[in-house]
Amino acid sequence: MKPNARITFQRVPQGLPVVEDFGADVAEVPTAGEGQFLSKTLYLSLDPYYRNVMKGSQIYADRLRAGDVMVGETVAKVIESRHPQFQPGDFVAVRNGWQEYALSDGQGVRKVDANLAPVSTALGVLGMPGLTGYAGTVFLAQPLPGQTFVVSAATGPVGSTAGQVARHMGARVVGIAGSDDKCEFAVRELGFDACINYKREDLASALKEACPRGIDAYFDNVGGSTLEAVLGRLALGARIVLCGMIGAYSMDQMPHGPWLGPVVGARATMKGLVVYDHMDKMAEMTRVLSGWIAAGSFRYREDISEGLASAPEAFCRLMRGENFGKALVRVGA
Ligand code: NAP
């Protein structure tokens, strides 16, 4: 038997996830049937929303029972195919989940062009997180040249894309991130005008200093007290893109929302962002961002753990906010 190592869902986490919430087993590598292909996972994407899937959130199509293979996006190489559109050797972005091999019928699968950038980027800046940052900035936040654009979780794949797209649109970009190293990276590598370490500085006063004319657009990846502090500095007509609330995903009780009075005073607009509404822009985003990557005017960072067995601990690190860059697991060579 050819072994297929898998990481399974074990139980719903209480608060922050721990490695005991996951299990592991070994199955036999399946064989492709008519209309299917078999692929070998190269990279597994770790995304904050998996925590919501683990608690059975109804807004996702995925349902997990104890013993099921953990769900997730991967970049994989086709090794056997009985599907007319996929050939052995093709790189694909496919939802293989947390396992070394999986079958697919081609539904929702994207081919990955290895000439554009390293294939791992199809899970980060050239994939779903990149599209989130791109679409939320270009179509919802719409910063004008010279306006102040603020983004939280600034060095993650969504935040770093949003901020760099806003910079390319001519905005003044201020990041919010959780360490001095992350802030230094945001300014030096990503080209942000400033970055605030919210763990070291008082966010409200630091925002006042960094955004003297107020905040015209805010791309919110975290919610909670960060959103509350930003709302206190809104410029007239500000746009707020509500993208994610990572801090709340591991809470058993939903937190009370921030005070929204300043939204009224600033005549601001708050818009909810769901990346799947913008899938038709994937090709546009890939063309624009890969062009900037090739020209050296767009940077990205990856936080890669080695081996499938490291996935549970790497996911727990992500949910504790300890990743620095797009969280990935290198599963295969
Ligand atoms: P990411 O930025 O790598 O997410 C992890 C980072 O979040 C951490 O490194 C940490 O950075 C920050 N963070 C802030 N408060 C945190 C807390 N209380 N606990 C843990 N981490 C915290 O991941 P991403 O993939 O780019 O996602 C960013 C956000 O976008 C997430 O909220 C995600 O759910 C959301 N999202 C939404 C959509 C959509 O369609 N709306 C699509 C994709 C992603 P710092 O140390 O810098 O704070």
Side-chain angles (χ1 to χ4, degrees):
M1 144 176 152
K2 193 170 174 197
N4 180 23
R6 318 188 303 178
I7 304 285
T8 56
F9 168 74
Q10 202 56 44
R11 61 180 191 198
V12 178
Q14 302 291 307
L16 285 170
V18 293
V19 291
E20 291 75 18
D21 299 328
F22 301 88
D25 67 13
V26 177
E28 187 167 359
V29 175
T31 311
E34 188 57 35
Q36 293 183 319
F37 66 81
L38 175 72
S39 66
K40 182 179 192 310
T41 305
L42 304 179
Y43 289 95
L44 165 67
S45 178
L46 299 177
D47 290 279
Y49 82 88
Y50 298 173
R51 176 66 182 83
N52 291 334
V53 174
M54 292 177 85
K55 69 180 168 203
S57 170
Q58 294 299 311
I59 63 168
Y60 305 96
D62 299 306
R63 295 283 170 272
L64 285 171
R65 284 165 309 164
D68 286 349
V69 174
M70 269 296 294
V71 293
E73 274 109 290
T74 61
V75 161
K77 191 170 186 178
V78 177
I79 53 175
E80 179 189 317
S81 180
R82 294 182 65 192
H83 189 295
Q85 277 148 28
F86 298 92
Q87 316 315 326
D90 284 352
F91 292 109
V92 287
V94 56
R95 294 181 61 82
N96 277 358
W98 298 27
Q99 58 184 335
E100 291 178 305
Y101 297 89
L103 294 174
S104 168
D105 62 6
Q107 284 274 343
V109 176
R110 265 184 310 131
K111 287 205 185 178
V112 174
D113 182 351
N115 296 316
L116 285 183
V119 293
S120 58
T121 58
L123 300 172
V125 294
L126 297 185
M128 183 278 285
L131 182 62
T132 306
Y134 179 86
T137 304
V138 174
F139 305 114
L140 302 186
Q142 300 184 322
L144 296 172
Q147 287 195 332
T148 299
F149 179 97
V150 175
V151 58
S152 49
T155 60
V158 173
S160 65
T161 302
Q164 291 183 90
V165 169
R167 174 171 62 73
H168 276 272
M169 292 171 82
R172 222 187 124 251
V173 178
V174 177
I176 300 174
S179 73
D180 287 345
D181 284 350
K182 288 181 177 182
C183 280
E184 196 191 322
F185 175 78
V187 172
R188 208 191 46 225
E189 296 287 327
L190 306 179
F192 290 10
D193 297 276
C195 184
I196 300 165
N197 175 357
Y198 67 96
K199 290 189 179 157
R200 199 169 48 73
E201 295 178 70
D202 173 62
L203 187 55
S205 19
L207 282 170
K208 192 170 178 188
E209 197 174 310
C211 312
R213 284 179 285 134
I215 295 164
D216 299 292
Y218 174 50
F219 196 113
D220 183 30
N221 285 316
V222 303
S225 56
T226 305
L227 173 60
E228 185 135 33
V230 170
L231 293 184
R233 287 278 332 140
L234 294 181
L236 269 185
R239 284 84 60 207
I240 299 140
V241 178
L242 298 177
C243 173
M245 282 117 204
I246 185 168
Y249 302 167
S250 298
M251 292 180 183
D252 299 321
Q253 293 274 314
M254 281 306 115
H256 293 291
W259 163 238
L260 295 178
V263 176
V264 180
R267 287 77 163 166
T269 314
M270 293 179 104
K271 295 178 184 172
L273 166 64
V274 173
V275 64
Y276 300 107
D277 298 341
H278 301 275
M279 293 311 275
D280 60 322
K281 299 293 193 305
M282 184 67 96
E284 171 187 316
M285 178 280 294
T286 306
R287 181 169 37 76
V288 173
L289 299 197
S290 62
W292 288 344
I293 290 173
S297 67
F298 184 100
R299 301 278 164 82
Y300 63 91
R301 184 178 167 117
E302 297 174 330
D303 183 325
I304 301 179
S305 309
E306 292 297 335
L308 184 65
S310 72
E313 176 50 25
F315 180 67
C316 295
R317 280 182 54 232
L318 168 71
M319 295 313 296
R320 293 195 300 264
E322 293 166 10
N323 66 307
F324 185 176
K326 168 63 198 168
L328 293 169
V329 178
R330 197 187 332 261
V331 178

